Amino acid sequence: PVEADESEGIAHRLAVRRRLPLAEILQTRELAVGRAMIDIGANVGTTSIPRALLGDFHWVYAIEPDSLNYACLVRNIVGNGVRGLVLPDRVAIGDVNGEMTMRVRRSGTHHLVPQSEHVSEEERIVVPCLTLDTWVDRMGVDLSDVGFIKSDTQGWDARVLAGAARVLAARHIAWQIEFSPPMLERSGKSADDLFRLLERHFTHFIDLRSEGGSRVR
């Protein structure tokens, strides 16, 4: 459901603008090779389900912590006939194992917060949280099958990378990471924190939103 004051949330993009992230999928398709993909912050399946329907992967792990979005994700998986191809799991991915507080809105936008008092009680839920390394172990994921990871965590990006040392050591996996400096600051991290992690684990990048400069740097 769309909130009256929410014009940039996913509910508005899907219901009003009818927008799927097809351009982003096409931009990364040449690097998205492998048997499996991990979609961190899958929301209602706007990336996971098209990837499965396009045949880009044999299966997609779709990770989504918000209970309402997760229910929509499962329903969309069934409705689009991709059961067994898109595998949903309701958990947050971060730098700790335990629980985290999430701020949620009816529009479908949400984000984790480092301290629960930063969120009003009516917009606050507690969600399970695992590091990516722990999640991979618990799910029995064979990293040699994984060729691509998409991470869109509304500012939690540095924390996702901080808890993924073993996954990042798998050098064949390409990552697509969406982030904004204000959202990083809200999570208690900075763009510099994220860049230091990226420089430690990656050798090349492509700025998908840039219209100038070399494609691969």
Side-chain angles (χ1 to χ4, degrees), residues 25-81:
I25 288 173
L26 289 172
Q27 282 180 302
T28 58
R29 210 170 182 196
E30 65 192 88
L31 296 174
V33 291
R35 290 166 55 82
M37 170 184 169
I38 299 175
D39 186 357
I40 305 172
N43 206 281
V44 299
T46 54
T47 295
S48 296
I49 292 172
R51 285 285 192 187
L53 291 171
L54 288 167
D56 287 353
F57 299 95
H58 293 207
W59 63 92
V60 180
Y61 296 100
I63 303 172
E64 172 54 43
D66 176 63
S67 56
L68 180 57
N69 285 346
Y70 181 78
C72 293
L73 169 63
V74 171
R75 211 168 156 179
N76 286 335
I77 290 170
V78 174
N80 285 278

Side-chain angles (χ1 to χ4, degrees), residues 107-147:
S107 61
T109 56
H110 56 259
H111 59 266
L112 294 164
V113 295
Q115 295 180 314
S116 59
E117 57 266 27
H118 293 170
V119 184
S120 63
E121 191 169 341
E122 61 271 16
E123 291 187 331
R124 180 196 313 162
I125 63 171
V126 176
V127 298
C129 183
L130 296 173
T131 68
L132 187 58
D133 285 344
T134 300
W135 179 87
V136 163
D137 287 338
R138 289 194 182 183
M139 294 294 290
V141 175
D142 185 346
L143 289 177
S144 67
D145 287 332
V146 178

